[in-house]
Structures are given as C-alpha cells and as structure tokens.
Amino acid sequence: MKKFFSFLILAFVTSAIALAQNNSEHMTFKGVPIDGTLNEFVDKMKQARFTYIGTHDGIAVLQGDFAGHKGCTIGVYTLKSSNKVNTIAVMFPPQKDWSSLESTYVSLKSMLTEKYGEPSECVEMFHDALQPDRDFEKFHKLKYKECTWDTTFR
C-alpha cells in the first residue's frame, strides 16, 4: 500500500512537456535541459547525482532528491516517433495523510508556477458531488482513486 501512495503524487508533479519557451530556451529539470535523446538526458541526470535504475517500455527510471524530498523516483518519457525527451514525472516517497500530501502538492505547484508561470492544465477535484470535509475522508477518496489532482506545465 505504501507503493500505491507514492505513485499517487505522480499525478501532480509534472507532465512537464519540453516545448521550447522560445527558439533556444528549454525547460529544465534540476538544471538539466529537457531535450535531446533519452540516453543523453539520462547521462546528464547521472552527472546531476541521480541513480539510474533502468529503462522499461521506453521510460527511463532514476532515483534522487527533488525539491527537498529525498528518495524520489523520476520517470523520463520520450516522444515515440523521435526518442526526444518530452516529459518528466516525479514520484515522491509515500505520505501517510491527506494534509501532508496536500501541503507537498501546494508547495511544489507554487514553486513550479513561480519558475514557469501559470500551469497549462490544472485539475483538482473529488469525483463525487458530495465533497469530503475531513482529511481522513479525502485520503480515503485518494486511496480509491475517487479524486484527481493533476497539474501540467508546458
């Protein structure tokens, strides 16, 4: 179950699509431009002290620290047609309660908004018409995939 909650934060962090912000400036992840081939990006991430875990179905997996959180899992995705890196996803270590998850989410969203501007997409909702009031109810909804918290920066 711990693994399950670590992947739920995946929805947040970043489907950071590496489209050029202008002709020469790309988004970066930990100072590494989000561009080039998968192997080139992985090599740069290794130099930035991330541990390469492996590649599965064209997705490179690394581990390291991100935004003050230790032991994050990083997924690096490419465009299938060109093997160019276009998406970085961060899975944070498991959290045990809604307030911790929400605090992490809000903090990271604020940090990325400051860096990249307003998100291109943002969905933060519980799927039921009846909205939960208490943290344990919200956490329960999350556990059973009855909510969506997803922010994308382009």
Side-chain angles (χ1 to χ4, degrees):
M1 186 145 107
K2 281 185 179 182
K3 253 188 179 177
F4 174 75
F5 292 116
S6 68
F7 288 102
L8 292 175
I9 288 295
L10 166 67
F12 159 66
V13 156
T14 269
S15 287
I17 310 293
L19 299 173
Q21 293 171 340
N22 62 39
N23 288 341
S24 63
E25 184 181 344
H26 288 277
M27 292 179 78
T28 62
F29 181 83
K30 297 291 285 187
V32 177
I34 302 172
D35 64 359
T37 66
L38 187 60
N39 289 339
E40 291 168 346
F41 188 82
V42 167
D43 286 344
K44 291 175 186 172
M45 290 299 291
K46 287 180 192 175
Q47 292 173 3
R49 299 185 182 213
F50 281 79
T51 303
Y52 175 67
I53 305 301
T55 300
H56 181 69
D57 289 335
I59 301 166
V61 179
L62 300 110
Q63 283 193 319
D65 301 342
F66 177 71
H69 297 269
K70 297 200 177 296
C72 296
T73 302
I74 315 302
V76 182
Y77 299 75
T78 60
L79 295 169
K80 299 267 187 228
S81 61
S82 66
N83 190 35
K84 297 286 183 185
V85 172
N86 78 319
T87 302
I88 307 299
V90 178
M91 292 153 278
F92 291 87
Q95 306 232 350
K96 296 180 181 181
D97 58 70
W98 178 264
S99 60
S100 297
L101 285 169
E102 186 175 38
S103 175
T104 298
Y105 175 85
V106 168
S107 172
L108 290 167
K109 181 180 171 186
S110 175
M111 176 191 72
L112 291 170
T113 299
E114 187 175 313
K115 184 173 182 178
Y116 296 118
E118 290 299 315
S120 56
E121 297 174 48
C122 184
V123 177
E124 299 168 350
M125 61 178 271
F126 291 96
H127 300 167
D128 293 340
L130 183 60
Q131 299 296 299
D133 293 326
R134 299 184 198 129
D135 281 356
F136 77 88
E137 293 170 326
K138 293 174 183 178
F139 201 65
H140 178 81
K141 297 279 187 193
L142 177 67
K143 178 180 175 183
Y144 291 101
K145 299 180 183 179
E146 297 173 0
C147 67
T148 302
W149 255 250
D150 184 28
T151 299
T152 302
F153 294 86
R154 293 188 188 271

